Amino acid sequence: DLSIEETAEYCGLDVLATFQLTEILQQKLNDTPSLKPVFELELKLEPILAKMETVGVIIDKNYLAKLSQEINEELQQIESKAYQEVGNFNLASPKQLSELLFNKLGLDKRKSTKTKTGYSTNQAVLEKMQGDHPIIDYILNHRTLAKLKSTYVDSLPILANPKTNRVHTNYNQMVTATGRLSSSNPNLQNIPIRTAFSRQIRKAFIPQKDWLFLSADYSQIELRILAHLSAEPILISAYQNQQDIHTVTAQLLLGKEDISLEERNLGKTINFGVIYGMGAQKFARQTGVSVADAQNFITIYREKYPHIFNYLETMKKEALTKGYVTTILGRRRYFYFDNDRALQNLKGKDINEIDLDSLKLTNYTAQMLRAAANAPIQGSCADIIKMAMIEVDRILADYQANLLLQVHDELVFELPSEEVEELSIKIKETMENIISLEIPLIVDIHTGKNWMEAK
C-alpha cells in the first residue's frame, strides 16, 4: 500500500544498515575463524536456494480438488462416530472438548494443565490421554485431517501461479537454531507422511510433462551422525557391516536373536527417541508397553550404549560451561541460562567437575539441555545436506534436471527420463561421499511420476 518512493527509501535504508554492519560482523568472524567454513557454505548455498525458489514445483489442482472432497467425507464420518460415542459437541471447540473430556467423561485432569477456558486439550495432552477413551482417537484424527485440508489441500491451489501451476516456496536460510533450512509460504517441509491422506498430498506434486521426479534421501542420517559423534562401538560396527540397527537394538533390549517386526519397532522407537531425550512415558505411549517396561528398556539401552549417553551428557555440560555446542563443520548453537541463578557459576568450568544429576534444573533449563544434546546431531545433518546441495548443483549444470525441493534429509529433482539412470548414480555417489565419517552414509534413490511415487 506504500508509494514507490516510500518503498525505495525503506529498501535503501535496509541495504545501508546491512552495509554498515558488514565491517563489524567481518571482524567478529575473523575473531572466530572456526565459523568461516560455515559462513562460506551458506554463501555458496544462497544462489542455489534462489534458483529453487524461482523454478518452483507444479501441483495438480484437479487432483487436490478431488482429495479435498474425500477428506470432507472422511471428516463427516469421524464426526458421526464421535457423536455416537458421546453425543453432539463441537470438535473444533477447545472449551467444549475440555468440558466433555474432564467433566462429562471424568478423564484424568492430571494429564492436562488449567487454562482460562478450562483444561488444555492441545495435541500433547491428547496424546498423553490416548487409550483412556475411544473419543481421543476420533478427536486426534479429526484435527489431523482438518489441518491437512486447510493447510495444504485447499491452500496450495490458491498459492500456485495461475499460468504455470507452480508453487514457489521461500527457503529460510537463517531462521532455525540448528542450521536446518525451513520453508514458508507455503511450508513444503512439514507435510506429514504418517497417515494415508497425508501421504496422498505428495501425489499432487508433479514434474513437467513427460519428465519424472527423483528423490534422494539420506537413510537414518541422524543415527549415523550420532554413531560418529559418540564413537559408540556397537552402532559403528552395525553400520559398517550393513546390519539393521533397529533389529540390533531390539536384540540387545530383549536379549534374544529372533526379532519380530513389532519388537523391531521397540528398537526403532528408542533409537530415534533417545536423540530427543525421550522419557519412559512417551516411549510407553508410542509402543504400547507399560511405563515400568519402558523405563526398564531405557535403563538397558543406557547400559548397552554407554558412549551415546556419555556424549549426550557432555554436550549438555558444554552448553552450560561454554554457552554453545558445535556441529561437525563448526556451526554453533548458543544457549543462555541467565534466568537460572544456580547455573551462573558454571560458565568456564571444567566439564569434568559438573555432576548434572546434582543440579536442580527448571523445566525450561532441562528442555534447553535436551536441545543442546540434540543440536550437534541435527546441525551436522544440516551441514552435510547443504554441502551435498552445492556439489549436486555443479553436476546439474551439464543436464536439464532441476533441483526443486529440500526436505531436511531429502532432495527432490525433476528430470527427463533419459537423464534418470546417469544422474541417479552421480547424485547418490556425490551425497554419500560428501564427507568422511566413521560410518558410511547411505542415500536411497527413488523415481516416480509424482512425489508420492518417488518417496
Side-chain angles (χ1 to χ4, degrees):
D1 297 326
L2 297 175
S3 69
I4 294 293
E5 289 76 15
E6 288 173 298
T7 308
E9 183 180 1
Y10 174 86
C11 292
L13 289 169
D14 221 7
V15 174
L16 178 62
T18 306
F19 176 71
Q20 290 178 332
L21 280 169
T22 302
E23 190 176 338
I24 298 166
L25 295 175
Q26 184 67 58
Q27 186 55 53
K28 282 182 175 285
L29 191 59
N30 290 339
D31 293 341
T32 319
S34 61
L35 287 176
K36 284 191 175 179
V38 182
F39 179 61
E40 288 162 7
L41 175 76
E42 298 295 351
L43 284 185
K44 291 174 184 174
L45 185 68
E46 189 180 11
I48 296 166
L49 296 177
K51 200 186 310 179
M52 291 164 66
E53 290 179 354
T54 303
V55 172
V57 56
I58 302 169
I59 60 162
D60 186 337
K61 291 183 178 179
N62 293 332
Y63 169 78
L64 285 175
K66 290 176 186 174
L67 185 61
S68 180
Q69 186 56 42
E70 287 177 30
I71 292 177
N72 255 341
E73 292 168 7
E74 183 68 19
L75 286 170
Q76 288 169 10
Q77 287 183 26
I78 292 171
E79 289 168 10
S80 177
K81 290 175 183 176
Y83 299 154
Q84 286 174 18
E85 193 74 46
V86 295
N88 282 10
F89 68 102
N90 183 356
L91 272 81
S93 167
K95 187 175 181 180
Q96 288 189 32
L97 278 183
S98 177
E99 173 68 25
L100 170 73
L101 299 180
F102 300 110
N103 294 335
K104 185 177 177 182
L105 298 178
L107 299 183
D108 190 353
K109 292 176 180 176
R110 290 173 299 178
K111 294 184 178 181
S112 181
T113 52
K114 198 85 163 65
T115 68
K116 290 179 181 178
T117 56
Y119 282 88
S120 173
T121 57
N122 65 24
Q123 186 81 6
V125 169
L126 292 176
E127 285 176 0
K128 283 184 197 173
M129 298 173 68
Q130 274 188 294
D132 293 356
H133 194 284
I135 195 65
I136 303 296
D137 283 339
Y138 291 132
I139 297 167
L140 282 170
N141 290 341
H142 191 276
R143 273 192 192 171
T144 302
L145 275 182
K147 187 175 180 181
L148 282 178
K149 186 175 182 295
S150 63
T151 308
Y152 297 106
V153 180
D154 293 342
S155 296
L156 285 173
I158 299 168
L159 294 169
N161 183 311
K163 293 180 180 177
T164 63
N165 283 336
R166 286 185 181 264
V167 170
H168 302 267
T169 188
N170 294 322
Y171 282 105
N172 309 305
Q173 213 170 337
M174 290 290 118
V175 169
T176 70
T178 58
R180 283 194 182 275
L181 293 176
S182 67
S183 157
S184 54
N185 301 317
N187 182 354
L188 298 183
Q189 292 190 320
N190 212 27
I191 301 173
I193 54 171
R194 287 198 296 181
T195 67
F197 277 111
S198 58
R199 283 190 293 274
Q200 285 178 53
I201 291 174
R202 293 191 171 211
K203 198 173 177 180
F205 293 83
I206 56 175
Q208 58 187 279
K209 191 178 179 184
D210 299 327
W211 283 29
L212 293 170
F213 266 179
L214 184 148
S215 164
D217 195 358
Y218 278 114
S219 172
Q220 297 178 357
I221 189 169
E222 288 193 349
L223 273 178
R224 290 173 190 271
I225 296 296
L226 176 61
H228 172 82
L229 292 173
S230 67
E232 179 57 66
I234 298 174
L235 277 185
I236 289 173
S237 174
Y239 278 126
Q240 287 178 341
N241 294 303
Q242 298 182 346
Q243 293 174 275
D244 177 57
I245 191 61
H246 303 318
T247 299
V248 170
T249 295
Q251 288 169 336
L252 292 172
L253 292 179
L254 300 167
K256 62 178 187 177
E257 281 297 309
D258 293 331
I259 298 297
S260 67
L261 280 175
E262 189 175 339
E263 289 167 337
R264 179 185 179 274
N265 188 49
L266 285 175
K268 182 177 181 179
T269 303
I270 199 168
N271 276 338
F272 285 122
V274 73
I275 297 172
Y276 296 96
M278 181 177 64
Q281 289 191 334
K282 189 167 184 180
F283 182 51
R285 284 199 306 274
Q286 290 192 5
T287 57
V289 302
S290 68
V291 174
D293 283 344
Q295 186 57 61
N296 186 46
F297 283 135
I298 291 172
T299 301
I300 296 170
Y301 193 96
R302 279 180 172 270
E303 292 169 357
K304 299 296 183 183
Y305 293 127
H307 289 73
I308 288 179
F309 286 92
N310 286 340
Y311 168 75
L312 296 175
E313 298 288 288
T314 299
M315 289 304 100
K316 292 177 182 180
K317 292 176 183 180
E318 282 197 7
L320 290 169
T321 58
K322 291 183 179 179
Y324 63 86
V325 292
T326 57
T327 68
I328 290 172
L329 199 65
R331 183 188 302 274
R332 294 183 181 183
R333 178 172 178 183
Y334 287 89
F335 290 88
Y336 304 94
F337 303 103
D338 299 340
N339 295 330
D340 200 328
R341 290 183 181 178
L343 305 178
Q344 295 300 300
N345 62 341
L346 298 180
K347 205 80 180 276
K349 246 192 171 185
D350 184 332
I351 61 171
N352 296 314
E353 297 176 20
I354 298 175
D355 177 15
L356 288 174
D357 293 332
S358 68
L359 298 176
K360 292 181 179 178
L361 303 175
T362 63
N363 287 338
Y364 174 77
T365 300
Q367 184 183 341
M368 284 297 97
L369 290 181
R370 285 194 294 274
N374 172 258
I377 302 166
Q378 271 205 42
S380 294
C381 294
D383 292 342
I384 288 168
I385 198 156
K386 286 177 176 180
M387 291 162 67
M389 289 169 74
I390 292 163
E391 287 305 310
V392 166
D393 184 66
R394 290 196 181 106
I395 293 169
L396 296 186
D398 297 326
Y399 296 87
Q400 297 178 71
N402 296 312
L403 173 56
L404 300 182
L405 300 169
Q406 190 259 49
V407 184
H408 305 313
D409 307 324
E410 175 189 12
L411 299 179
V412 181
F413 306 81
E414 65 171 0
L415 70 175
S417 55
E418 61 267 22
E419 292 182 356
V420 168
E421 188 176 350
E422 195 172 319
L423 270 180
S424 293
I425 296 167
K426 288 190 175 184
I427 289 168
K428 182 178 173 69
E429 285 180 350
T430 300
M431 292 175 70
E432 289 181 347
N433 296 294
I434 200 67
I435 193 170
S436 178
L437 303 174
E438 287 296 315
I439 41 83
L441 291 177
I442 300 296
V443 171
D444 297 323
I445 301 282
H446 300 284
T447 57
K449 294 177 181 176
N450 56 62
W451 192 8
M452 189 176 86
E453 275 187 22
K455 179 62 177 163

